[in-house]
Amino acid sequence: MPLDADDITRLYRSHAPGLLRFFAHRTLQAEVAVDLVAESFAQAFAHRGQFRGRAEVDADAAAWLYGIARHQLGKYFRRGVVERRALARLGLERDAMTEADFERVEEMCGLDEKRDAIERGLAGMSKPQRDALALRIVEERSYPDVARLLGISEQTARTRVSRALRVLAKSTEQLSGSPGIAA
Amino acid sequence: MLPEVDLPPVLCSFELKLANAMRVAESRAGARGRPRTSLAAALCVGLTAVAVLAFLFATNGAQETSSASAAPLLRAAAVAALRAPSLLPRENQYIYVREIGRVPAGMSTRQSVSLTAVEKVVTDRWYSVRRGSLERARILSVAFASPLDARLWRENHGQEPGAAHSFRGPAPRWYVFIGGRNGELSRRQLLALPGDPRNLLERTLGGSPAALAWLSSLPGFTAGHPSTQTTYTYSYSTVTGRLPANDGFAYALTAFSSIEQDFRQVTLPARVRSGLYRALAIIPGVRYAGMRRDLAGRLGAEIIFNDRAHEVRDELIFDPATSALLGERQVTTHYNVGFPAGTPLEDVAFLNEAVTDGTHIPHASPRIH
C-alpha cells in the first residue's frame, strides 16, 4: 500500500533521530549525517508509491526507510558527496547549520566519544596493521593490491586487516550508540 | 509515535519544509490527475469528506494532542528570530495588524448556556504612542449549529454578516509583559530589554523570591548561567526550606500567558523575540503537538500548554523557519462556560503587520515582525 505525505511525516517524527544516529555513526560527520537524513526522507517521499508493506505497521515502514538510508549511505561512500536529487525535485534546501546544530548532533550521537575510541583503536595497533587497514578500508583496495603495495603475501595482508579490524572493534564496542538499525 | 529525543534545530525546521513541499507536490499531482477522475474516485472523495465531517461533529472540533518536547522547534524559531526584521515604529507612526478570528458566541437560556453561533471576523488595528489607536472589525460570516439557533440569534442580539464597527482608543505605551508597570514600557525600556531567556523569565515573573526559586529549579534554567540573584535566592531557599509552596504550575501559567501576549505585540526587538522563544522552551508543560494549519490555512508547528486552572488548552502555531507567529487558539478541555470540551474559544490567524504613517490599510506585504 503506497504511503502518503502524512505517513512520511509520521515516519520522520518517529525515525529521524534514529536515522541521524545511523548516519552519524557511519560517517562521523554531523553535516553529512544531517544531509543524508534530509535526502533519505525526500527519497522516501519520491518513491512512496513503491512501498509494498502495510503503512500502519511501523516496522514495515521503518525497514523500507532504512533500506533507502543504506542505499544513500552507499552512494555517499562511493562518490564522497551526498546526493540531493530528491531534495532538488521537491525544491527543498535545509537551513545552514549553526553551532547549536553541530553540538546537538555530537551530543545525540556521541561523535566525540566515537572519534576518541577510533583514535585509541588506531593507536593500539601496529604500523603494518594500520597501513593494511588504511589501504583496504579507507582506500578500498583489493587484497592483491594491498599485498603488492606492502610487499607481502595476500594471505598476510588478509591477516593484518583482520587483526586491525578486531582491535578497532574492541575499542568501539563499549560505546553506547554503536551502529545498528535501532541506533 | 513521536521522537523521544530532541532533534537538532536544523532537522526540526527541515520537517516543516518537507511537510510543506510534500503537500505542494501532492496537490500538484492531484490537479494533474483531475480530468481523469472517475465517478468512483469522486464518490470516494465525497465519502471521505462525509467521514471527516462526521468525525468533526462527533469530536466537536477537538484534536488529538499527543505531544513531544517543543524545545528543538522553539530553538529553531529562536535562531530564525535573530535573522528576522523587527517592526519598531517611531512614536508618531502606527503599527498596523490585520487578523482574522473565529469567535464562538453563547446564548443564555433558563436551562443553560449553549453554543449557538460562530462568527468569523476580520479586524484591522492601528496603534500609535502619540496618535492613539483605531480598530475596525467586520463580520465575514456567522455559522449556526441549527436553524433554531439562527432564528434565536437574529431575534435577540446577533449581527448579520457584513456588519462592521470601529473603535477609537487612547494612545498605548508599548505593551509588553516583561517586567514593566502593568505591562507598559517606554520605547527606551523596550529597546533595553535583554535577550537572555532566563533574565526575561525572571522579569516576567516579577522577581519574587519564590518565583526565582522555582525558576532556578528548572533543568533548562540552571543549565545556563543564572544570575547571581537567582543563584543566591535558590541557595537561600534550599537552606531555609522556603521553596515554592505550589508545584510551580501558577508560575508556568503566568510565564506562558505573558509570553503569549508578548508575541502578539509586534514591537519586539529581534533579540527579545528570540529570547522569548528560548524562554518558552524552558517552561514546564509546553509541548509540541505536531504540524497544524492556522485559521488562514497556513501550516506551522503547534505548541500547547494545558491551563488546568481555567480548563483550556492554549495553542500557538508558528513557523520555526521564520519565527513568525501564525495563529493562536484557546480550546476548552472540559465543559466550560457553556461550551463543550474541544470548543475553540479563540481562534486567530495573524495575516499582516506593518508600520504605517496613517490609519490606512497598507498594500499586502510579506508578514514580518
Side-chain angles (χ1 to χ4, degrees), chain A residues 102-121:
Chain A
F102 283 101
E103 277 175 15
R104 183 66 194 130
V105 179
E106 302 261 327
E107 183 192 354
M108 268 179 78
C109 309
L111 290 189
D112 276 348
E113 202 184 351
K114 192 108 186 163
R115 281 194 205 102
D116 289 348
I118 289 172
E119 271 175 27
R120 272 199 311 276

Side-chain angles (χ1 to χ4, degrees), chain A residues 4-6 8-10 12-14 16-17 20-21 34 37-38 41-42 45 48 87 90 92-98 100-101 104-105 108, chain B residues 1-15 17-19 21-23 25-26 28-29 75 79 83 288-291 320-321:
Chain A
D4 60 17
D6 287 338
I8 305 291
T9 302
R10 206 171 51 244
Y12 191 93
R13 289 197 197 142
S14 52
L20 181 64
R21 286 197 200 97
V34 165
V37 170
F41 277 100
F45 180 70
R48 64 195 183 282
L87 286 170
L90 282 173
L92 272 174
E93 209 170 288
R94 68 158 172 79
D95 295 338
M97 282 178 72
T98 62
D101 289 311
R104 183 66 194 130
V105 179
M108 268 179 78
Chain B
M1 189 176 134
L2 291 164
E4 291 172 359
V5 290
D6 295 349
L7 279 169
V10 65
L11 282 177
C12 294
S13 59
F14 180 76
E15 181 190 350
K17 288 183 174 185
L18 179 68
M22 289 191 301
R23 303 250 179 271
E26 281 197 336
R28 277 187 196 144
R75 283 199 293 267
V79 172
R83 294 194 295 261
Y288 170 55
M291 306 305 291

Side-chain angles (χ1 to χ4, degrees), chain B residues 93-156:
Chain B
Q93 287 183 307
Y94 290 93
I95 277 281
Y96 165 76
V97 180
R98 168 168 276 196
E99 63 184 45
I100 188 166
R102 204 161 45 186
V103 188
M107 183 177 290
S108 300
T109 65
R110 283 183 188 165
Q111 289 78 33
S112 64
V113 181
S114 63
L115 173 64
T116 57
V118 178
E119 292 178 352
K120 199 168 182 181
V121 183
V122 62
T123 308
D124 296 297
R125 290 196 183 90
W126 292 263
Y127 308 92
S128 168
V129 168
R130 293 234 180 113
R131 296 161 73 183
S133 61
L134 172 66
E135 178 178 312
R136 285 190 198 133
R138 188 162 53 88
I139 298 174
L140 296 177
S141 62
V142 188
F144 300 101
S146 73
L148 178 64
D149 285 324
R151 189 167 64 79
L152 287 170
W153 178 260
R154 289 189 178 104
E155 282 173 2
N156 290 281

Side-chain angles (χ1 to χ4, degrees), chain A residues 58-77:
Chain A
D58 187 60
D60 285 3
W64 178 73
L65 178 67
Y66 274 91
I68 293 173
R70 276 192 215 93
H71 188 61
Q72 290 303 315
L73 187 67
K75 280 186 178 174
Y76 166 73
F77 282 138

Side-chain angles (χ1 to χ4, degrees), chain B residues 54-95:
Chain B
F55 171 77
L56 287 175
F57 181 76
T59 58
N60 211 2
Q63 291 181 344
E64 186 191 352
T65 54
S66 59
S67 55
S69 168
L73 283 165
L74 289 168
R75 283 199 293 267
V79 172
L82 290 173
R83 294 194 295 261
S86 302
L87 283 184
L88 288 167
R90 293 189 300 275
E91 294 197 339
N92 62 346
Q93 287 183 307
Y94 290 93
I95 277 281

Side-chain angles (χ1 to χ4, degrees), chain B:
Chain B
M1 189 176 134
L2 291 164
E4 291 172 359
V5 290
D6 295 349
L7 279 169
V10 65
L11 282 177
C12 294
S13 59
F14 180 76
E15 181 190 350
L16 182 73
K17 288 183 174 185
L18 179 68
N20 272 328
M22 289 191 301
R23 303 250 179 271
V24 170
E26 281 197 336
S27 63
R28 277 187 196 144
R32 276 199 299 275
R34 210 165 288 142
R36 293 195 298 273
T37 303
S38 64
L39 180 61
L43 273 172
C44 278
V45 171
L47 287 171
T48 308
V50 168
V52 170
L53 284 172
F55 171 77
L56 287 175
F57 181 76
T59 58
N60 211 2
Q63 291 181 344
E64 186 191 352
T65 54
S66 59
S67 55
S69 168
L73 283 165
L74 289 168
R75 283 199 293 267
V79 172
L82 290 173
R83 294 194 295 261
S86 302
L87 283 184
L88 288 167
R90 293 189 300 275
E91 294 197 339
N92 62 346
Q93 287 183 307
Y94 290 93
I95 277 281
Y96 165 76
V97 180
R98 168 168 276 196
E99 63 184 45
I100 188 166
R102 204 161 45 186
V103 188
M107 183 177 290
S108 300
T109 65
R110 283 183 188 165
Q111 289 78 33
S112 64
V113 181
S114 63
L115 173 64
T116 57
V118 178
E119 292 178 352
K120 199 168 182 181
V121 183
V122 62
T123 308
D124 296 297
R125 290 196 183 90
W126 292 263
Y127 308 92
S128 168
V129 168
R130 293 234 180 113
R131 296 161 73 183
S133 61
L134 172 66
E135 178 178 312
R136 285 190 198 133
R138 188 162 53 88
I139 298 174
L140 296 177
S141 62
V142 188
F144 300 101
S146 73
L148 178 64
D149 285 324
R151 189 167 64 79
L152 287 170
W153 178 260
R154 289 189 178 104
E155 282 173 2
N156 290 281
H157 52 84
Q159 288 182 296
E160 293 293 333
H165 70 265
S166 63
F167 169 76
R168 280 195 181 275
R173 305 288 297 275
W174 305 120
Y175 208 64
V176 177
F177 290 82
I178 309 171
R181 188 177 169 218
N182 297 325
E184 293 187 358
L185 298 180
S186 69
R187 183 185 162 88
R188 183 178 289 182
Q189 286 171 320
L190 185 74
L191 289 171
L193 282 173
D196 175 49
R198 292 165 287 272
N199 200 325
L200 287 170
L201 279 173
E202 283 181 12
R203 286 165 179 254
T204 299
L205 292 178
S208 77
L212 291 176
W214 173 75
L215 277 175
S216 306
S217 69
L218 302 181
F221 196 84
T222 48
H225 303 284
S227 66
T228 312
Q229 186 192 4
T230 307
T231 310
Y232 171 76
T233 308
Y234 185 59
S235 310
Y236 177 80
S237 307
T238 308
V239 170
T240 58
R242 289 185 200 167
L243 283 168
N246 65 28
D247 62 357
F249 170 75
Y251 297 128
L253 174 62
T254 305
F256 182 85
S257 306
S258 304
I259 293 174
E260 189 183 22
Q261 289 297 316
D262 291 336
F263 273 137
R264 295 181 77 149
Q265 308 305 314
V266 285
T267 48
L268 282 177
R271 70 171 186 290
V272 177
R273 199 176 173 79
S274 173
L276 288 177
Y277 271 112
R278 289 185 190 280
L280 274 179
I282 296 173
I283 300 172
V286 176
R287 308 289 295 161
Y288 170 55
M291 306 305 291
R292 295 276 191 279
R293 290 192 184 277
D294 70 359
L295 189 57
R298 298 168 299 183
L299 195 66
E302 184 182 67
I303 56 164
I304 56 170
F305 180 84
N306 274 317
D307 175 358
R308 62 174 193 251
H310 303 98
E311 299 189 328
V312 291
R313 185 176 65 245
D314 291 316
E315 305 174 350
L316 295 181
I317 302 173
F318 63 98
D319 182 349
T322 64
S323 85
L325 179 66
L326 303 178
E328 277 186 23
R329 298 203 328 154
Q330 196 177 55
V331 183
T332 54
T333 53
H334 296 81
Y335 185 82
N336 195 337
V337 288
F339 301 122
T343 307
L345 294 178
E346 185 184 34
D347 189 355
V348 182
F350 304 103
L351 301 180
N352 193 11
E353 294 160 358
V355 172
T356 61
D357 291 324
T359 52
H360 60 270
I361 295 174
H363 294 299
S365 54
R367 185 183 145 74
I368 53 173
H369 19 79

